């Protein structure tokens, strides 16, 4: 028993080192834009801090509620004396650790001739390398692995999908019992679907298809049937649980479904793939994914037990179904294809066989790998801290001016959200469109209690304002990439809300 705990602790230590190296590299690249500054990426931090501040809540969310992500960020914000960027950096490391935990579950229990801890680490390392090949600052790039490190782009959904695969694998590997695992599977499905209905597309549909195909061959058909019941019931309960939140859900996701645009979708994703293949890092990432999918197909053909066959099949069927679904529904968003990054990694933990070598050789190799991981993790801490603490004098100029003014201003979505997160009172910056109508999207609608503003914040992303000719700025404050259009003692009225 003591040796088991030592082995598991070593696995988590190695996972922490890999998580630190990955987060530090991503945060030190152009991808840091998505971690720390992108307008979409800040929703969880804005929402969590809104909840912690005890202000009235009337949020306009998308179809995603970000409930687990917000709980994690709020917990970090409560416990750690860090600024927002520091919390986002720590959150990135925690997301990677959560993925390791899920991969460890998928790898199965320790048995003779297996090395689930080692292979879970290998899987996490492969995913980390994929994330490190993501080098652009674009949210629309086909750079999917690094999205897990953000608080916004469905990190909890990714973890829930991998957890579900692990729970199903543990269930099909058991001869009897497993009631607690069935409850855990149903609960995971319910919470994940409640927060993000995309779980049903990424997990429920592929797992259901695979289990249905396995049913005729299952020696005990009652087990796959019970698994399906737990999974489908949990997913259904998750959808029902969304009903009390309907006032907060500004878009159910139905508007994203446009099957008549499937040809445009093919062109869109094809262009993303071409762009991805245009850089050496992108080529490496593509080759890794292809190699893992080939390994998964081979694993399906050669699997010696039901659990290994199930995981191997998920590793290649899930990406295929997600691609077909994304194109068939006419979607245009790279983030929907994240299973292309994390699902193939499951091929590495489908059949975690141990390495047959003399004990002394195994010990030397394990010690060497541990030393490398430890060194990498230690060296990555100051690198990650430095990346998260990079000064932003332009942002500081805006936030200092807004804090000192004591007045209420406005800005457009892509411009205002970063200053809004960093000012002392976020309600002092109202989110509007170019006509000064309230833009109720991923924001607390209580902010629109301000019926007029006395300054505007703009940058290169700001659509040209359409203001009444009578509205003449009193002063324009230069803050680098930002400008503050100050109307002084005058005010500009806000128009009605829309999402």
């Amino acid at each position: 028993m003591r040796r088991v705990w030592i082995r598991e602790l070593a696995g988590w230590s190695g996972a922490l080192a890999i998580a630190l190296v990955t987060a530090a590299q991503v945060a030190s690249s152009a991808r840091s834009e998505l971690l720390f500054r992108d307008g979409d990426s800040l929703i969880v931090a804005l929402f969590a801090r809104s909840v912690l501040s005890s202000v009235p809540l009337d949020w306009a969310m998308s179809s995603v509620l970000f409930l687990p992500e917000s709980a994690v960020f709020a917990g970090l914000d409560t416990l750690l004396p860090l600024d927002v960027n520091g919390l986002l950096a720590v959150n990135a490391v925690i997301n990677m650790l959560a993925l390791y935990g899920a991969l460890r579950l998928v790898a199965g229990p320790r048995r003779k001739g297996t090395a689930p801890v080692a292979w879970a680490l290998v899987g996490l390392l492969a995913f980390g390398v994929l994330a490190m090949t993501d080098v652009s600052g674009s949210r629309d790039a086909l750079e999917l692995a690094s999205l897990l490190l953000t608080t916004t782009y469905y990190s909890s959904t990714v973890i829930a999908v991998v957890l579900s695969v692990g729970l199903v694998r543990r269930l099909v590997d058991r001869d009897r019992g497993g009631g607690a695992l069935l409850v855990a599977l149903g609960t995971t499905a319910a919470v994940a679907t409640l927060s993000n209905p995309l779980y049903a597309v990424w997990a429920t549909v592929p797992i259901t298809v695979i289990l249905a195909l396995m049913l005729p061959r299952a020696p005990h058909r009652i087990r796959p049937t019970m698994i399906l019941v737990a999974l489908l019931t949990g997913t259904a309960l998750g959808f029902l649980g969304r009903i009390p939140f309907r006032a907060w859900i500004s878009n159910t996701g139905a508007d994203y479904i446009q099957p008549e645009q499937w040809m445009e979708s093919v062109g869109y994703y094809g262009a993303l793939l071409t762009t991805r293949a245009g850089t050496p890092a992108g080529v490496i990432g593509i080759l890794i994914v292809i190699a893992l999918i080939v390994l998964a197909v081979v694993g399906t053909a050669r699997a010696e037990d039901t659990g290994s066959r199930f995981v191997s099949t998920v590793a290649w069927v899930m990406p295929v179904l997600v691609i077909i679904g994304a194109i068939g529904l006419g979607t245009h968003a790279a983030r929907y294809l994240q299973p292309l990054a994390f699902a193939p990694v499951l091929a590495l933990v489908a059949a975690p066989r141990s390495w047959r070598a003399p004990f002394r050789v195994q010990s030397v190799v394990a010690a060497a790998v541990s030393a490398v991981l430890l060194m990498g993790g230690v060296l990555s801490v100051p690198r990650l801290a430095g990346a998260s603490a990079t000064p932003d004098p332009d942002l500081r100029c805006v936030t200092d001016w807004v804090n000192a003014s004591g007045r209420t201003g406005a800005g457009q979505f892509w411009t205002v959200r970063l200053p809004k997160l960093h000012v002392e009172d976020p309600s002092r910056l109202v989110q509007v469109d170019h006509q000064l109508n309230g833009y109720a999207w991923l924001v607390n609608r209580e902010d629109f209690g301000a019926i007029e503003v006395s300054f505007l914040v703009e940058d290169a992303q700001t659509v040209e304002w359409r203001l009444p000719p009578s509205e003449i700025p009193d002063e324009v404050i230069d803050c680098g990439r930002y400008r503050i259009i100050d109307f002084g003692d005058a005010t500009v009225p806000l128009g009605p809300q829309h999402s």
Side-chain angles (χ1 to χ4, degrees):
M1 180 61 70
R2 181 182 178 186
R3 184 177 295 180
V4 171
W5 279 106
I6 292 175
R7 186 181 294 112
E8 296 293 343
L9 182 60
W12 283 100
S13 300
L16 176 59
I18 294 172
L20 287 167
V21 171
T22 303
Q25 176 58 33
V26 173
S28 301
S29 71
R31 210 66 176 154
S32 64
E33 188 70 20
L34 265 69
L35 282 180
F36 303 126
R37 292 175 290 277
D38 181 73
D40 269 349
S41 301
L42 306 179
I43 171 59
V44 167
L46 284 165
F47 176 67
R49 290 202 153 180
S50 176
V51 172
L52 292 175
S53 67
S54 299
V55 300
L57 301 178
D58 182 18
W59 274 79
M61 306 294 274
S62 66
S63 58
V64 185
L65 296 174
F66 305 106
L67 299 180
E69 293 94 337
S70 298
V72 171
F73 188 90
L76 294 175
D77 201 5
T78 302
L79 297 174
L80 301 180
L82 298 174
D83 62 10
V84 173
N85 283 2
L87 294 172
L88 292 171
V90 172
N91 211 143
V93 174
I94 289 176
N95 288 350
M96 285 289 290
L97 285 174
L99 178 62
Y100 169 76
L103 289 172
R104 176 64 190 88
L105 183 70
V106 178
R110 168 75 179 180
R111 296 193 182 103
K112 184 178 180 180
T114 66
V117 171
W119 281 106
L121 280 176
V122 171
L124 185 69
L125 180 60
F127 186 87
V129 172
L130 275 178
M132 288 186 276
T133 65
D134 297 348
V135 293
S136 81
S138 173
R139 75 185 69 87
D140 295 320
L142 200 63
E143 299 180 347
L144 306 173
S146 59
L147 296 181
L148 176 71
L149 278 71
T150 71
T151 57
T152 301
Y153 291 111
Y154 318 149
S155 56
S156 73
T157 309
V158 172
I159 304 303
V161 173
V162 180
L163 275 176
S164 299
V165 174
L167 290 167
V168 174
R169 195 254 173 85
R170 296 287 180 116
L171 282 162
V172 299
D173 276 345
R174 293 174 69 97
D175 293 329
R176 56 183 179 274
L181 293 175
L182 287 171
V183 171
L185 176 62
T187 302
T188 300
V191 174
T193 306
L194 167 65
S195 182
N196 185 359
L198 199 58
Y199 171 89
V201 179
W202 286 359
T204 306
V205 172
I207 292 175
T208 299
V209 169
I210 294 169
L211 286 178
L213 294 175
M214 290 173 58
L215 272 174
R217 301 181 182 180
H220 305 290
R221 295 189 183 184
I222 187 65
R223 176 55 57 80
T225 302
M226 292 175 64
I227 296 173
L228 282 173
V229 169
L231 178 64
L232 295 173
T233 300
T235 303
L237 290 175
F239 278 113
L240 289 174
R242 293 173 61 81
I243 293 176
F245 293 94
R246 61 183 179 274
W248 282 15
I249 300 174
S250 298
N251 189 334
T252 62
D255 293 342
Y256 301 141
I257 301 175
Q258 299 172 316
E260 70 280 1
Q261 295 190 15
W262 70 272
M263 282 296 294
E264 289 85 349
S265 185
V266 170
Y268 173 78
Y269 291 121
L272 293 184
L273 179 61
T274 301
T275 303
R276 175 76 164 148
T279 64
V283 171
I284 292 172
I286 292 171
L287 291 176
I288 290 174
V289 171
I290 291 174
L292 290 173
I293 289 178
V294 170
L295 178 63
V297 174
V298 172
T300 298
R302 297 183 177 179
E304 298 177 355
D305 58 81
T306 305
S308 297
R309 181 175 296 106
F310 168 76
V311 175
S312 294
T313 305
V314 167
W316 65 269
V317 168
M318 186 179 289
V320 170
L321 291 181
V322 167
I323 291 174
I324 293 173
I327 292 175
L329 296 176
T331 62
H332 295 77
R335 61 186 180 274
Y336 297 152
L337 301 185
Q338 285 186 68
L340 270 72
F342 68 82
V345 172
L346 298 175
L348 295 170
V349 292
R353 298 182 183 87
S354 59
W355 179 36
R356 294 182 180 179
F359 179 75
R360 183 173 297 179
V361 174
Q362 292 186 17
S363 300
V364 171
V365 172
V369 172
S370 299
V372 170
L373 289 178
L374 177 62
M375 184 179 301
V378 170
L379 294 176
S380 295
V381 172
R383 191 178 181 210
L384 179 59
S388 65
T390 300
D392 189 342
D394 299 347
L395 175 63
R396 184 66 179 269
C397 173
V398 173
T399 56
D400 285 351
W401 191 93
V402 173
N403 290 335
S405 74
R407 293 185 279 136
T408 300
Q412 295 174 30
F413 182 91
W414 297 112
T415 300
V416 80
R417 294 179 70 77
L418 183 60
K420 186 176 180 66
L421 176 61
H422 287 267
V423 295
E424 293 174 357
D425 182 1
S427 66
R428 293 292 183 184
L429 287 174
V430 183
Q431 186 171 289
V432 297
D433 64 13
H434 68 292
Q435 295 177 306
L436 289 185
N437 296 315
Y439 185 44
W441 183 249
L442 305 182
V443 74
N444 191 357
R445 285 176 290 220
E446 289 290 325
D447 292 351
F448 301 122
I451 59 176
E452 55 189 17
V453 296
S454 62
F455 65 89
L456 303 174
V457 180
E458 66 178 19
D459 66 1
Q461 301 181 89
T462 299
V463 177
E464 185 178 358
W465 297 104
R466 292 180 59 182
L467 303 176
S470 59
E471 303 297 344
I472 301 175
D474 183 64
E475 181 183 6
V476 176
I477 296 91
D478 183 11
C479 283
R481 70 179 186 274
Y482 294 103
R483 292 199 324 159
I484 301 174
I485 302 174
D486 184 17
F487 296 99
D489 294 332
T491 58
V492 182
L494 298 181
Q497 301 176 37
H498 69 94
S499 63

